[in-house]
Amino acid sequence: ATLAARDVDLAEARRELERGDQLRRQDVLSLQRHDAQGFSVRRSESARALAAAALRRAERALADAVVRAPFDGTVESISVQVGDYLAPGTPVANVADLARVRLRAGVTATEAAEFAPGLTARVSLPALGGQAIEAEIRSVGRIADPNAGTYAVELWLDNSDGRIRAGMVGQLTLAESGGVSAAVVPRAAVVRRDGLLIVFRAEGEGDTLRAIAQPVRVGRGRGERVEILEGLEVGQRVVVAGHFALADGGPILVDGNAPPARRGED
């Protein structure tokens, strides 16, 4: 309503200025009066702009009165009731999305040497009957906790069935490779592309060698080597350097001293 009123004022001011222009050309209106009409149009334009801005603020406030979660999830708690007066930024609900969860653990310095991002570990949750769940290691800390003396390890677990709940406690172990059957490659051979862990196999002979991207599942890491639980066979040659320039199927030049994948050692 305020904006509509300012539109009327502006239309009236512009109409008066048009009349003033005609009278000024006929030299029957003073210059001072004509200038006043022009200033009146500018004031009306400014008043209308302020009214329009107020309307936009009111529309935004009305839209913000409906609180929408930024992601799909479950409402765990509601902090307000109908009729409460709230300031901007006041939390109104706690929404949780546990389709994928994070587990944080503390390991010793010796254990931290065997953990590395991308490796597979197993998490056993007593609250779920102790069933082992595979998880991917996302990060391994390099600074010890000053109180516990352990290094932080973070893992991501799939929880599409919603069985895992926040606050559960579990036991973490590295995935077993099944004895000597697993292939072992240098850590430098395993790279991440498009969210997947891959190894580039060297396929072909002579001048027709090409790098073939092979998704893999990794297991226990020992020093500078890591086990490949799936995706690679013992004896296959792998690329250990120059991955930044590699593309799937691209030509490569293999160093004759490059080691092949070998069997794991206990």
Side-chain angles (χ1 to χ4, degrees):
T2 303
L3 181 60
R6 299 292 81 80
D7 285 336
V8 173
D9 293 342
L10 179 58
E12 181 181 5
R14 287 174 175 172
R15 182 68 178 274
E16 288 295 326
L17 181 59
E18 291 176 359
R19 294 175 180 175
D21 290 340
Q22 296 176 358
L23 295 176
R24 181 59 186 169
R25 286 192 294 270
Q26 297 173 6
D27 201 21
V28 295
L29 183 68
S30 67
L31 178 59
Q32 182 179 5
R33 177 58 181 169
H34 186 260
D35 289 344
Q37 291 175 339
F39 293 143
S40 179
V41 170
R42 295 181 184 179
R43 283 192 296 269
S44 296
E45 290 174 343
S46 298
R48 187 198 180 283
L50 290 174
L55 177 60
R56 289 193 296 270
R57 288 196 299 269
E59 291 172 339
R60 177 62 182 272
L62 179 61
D64 288 345
V66 179
V67 179
R68 302 184 186 278
F71 55 85
D72 293 336
T74 303
V75 178
E76 296 292 333
S77 64
I78 298 178
S79 307
V80 298
Q81 302 296 329
V82 175
D84 289 348
Y85 287 92
L86 305 178
T90 301
V92 298
N94 183 12
V95 182
D97 176 15
L98 297 181
R100 183 170 60 179
V101 298
R102 293 185 298 179
L103 180 143
R104 295 186 178 92
V107 299
T108 65
T110 302
E111 293 168 336
E114 297 187 359
F115 286 78
L119 297 183
T120 300
R122 290 178 180 174
V123 178
S124 176
L125 301 172
L128 300 181
Q131 179 182 1
I133 302 173
E134 287 196 352
E136 179 185 355
I137 299 175
R138 302 293 296 190
S139 65
V140 180
R142 295 185 176 275
I143 300 178
D145 185 300
N147 297 320
T150 57
Y151 296 84
V153 176
E154 182 176 298
L155 304 94
W156 288 7
L157 295 82
D158 177 71
N159 189 36
S160 55
D161 57 4
R163 298 179 62 202
I164 304 176
R165 300 175 183 272
M168 285 185 173
V169 178
Q171 183 177 7
L172 171 65
T173 57
L174 280 175
E176 296 295 336
S177 64
V180 298
S181 60
V184 178
V185 300
R187 287 184 185 272
V190 182
V191 296
R192 185 180 294 276
R193 292 281 180 88
D194 298 326
L196 298 176
L197 292 176
I198 66 171
V199 168
F200 281 99
R201 305 194 318 268
E203 296 289 343
E205 297 293 340
D207 296 333
T208 60
L209 288 173
R210 294 191 176 277
I212 306 300
Q214 175 63 53
V216 296
R217 184 167 69 91
V218 299
R220 183 183 298 273
R222 297 180 179 179
E224 294 301 318
R225 293 185 175 272
V226 62
E227 294 174 334
I228 304 298
L229 303 180
E230 293 180 4
L232 196 65
E233 297 180 0
V234 174
Q236 290 181 314
R237 289 183 295 180
V238 298
V239 179
V240 297
H243 296 92
F244 68 93
L246 283 183
D248 188 19
I252 56 174
L253 177 63
V254 178
D255 185 345
N257 296 324
R262 58 186 179 86
R263 292 188 180 278
E265 297 177 355
D266 290 334

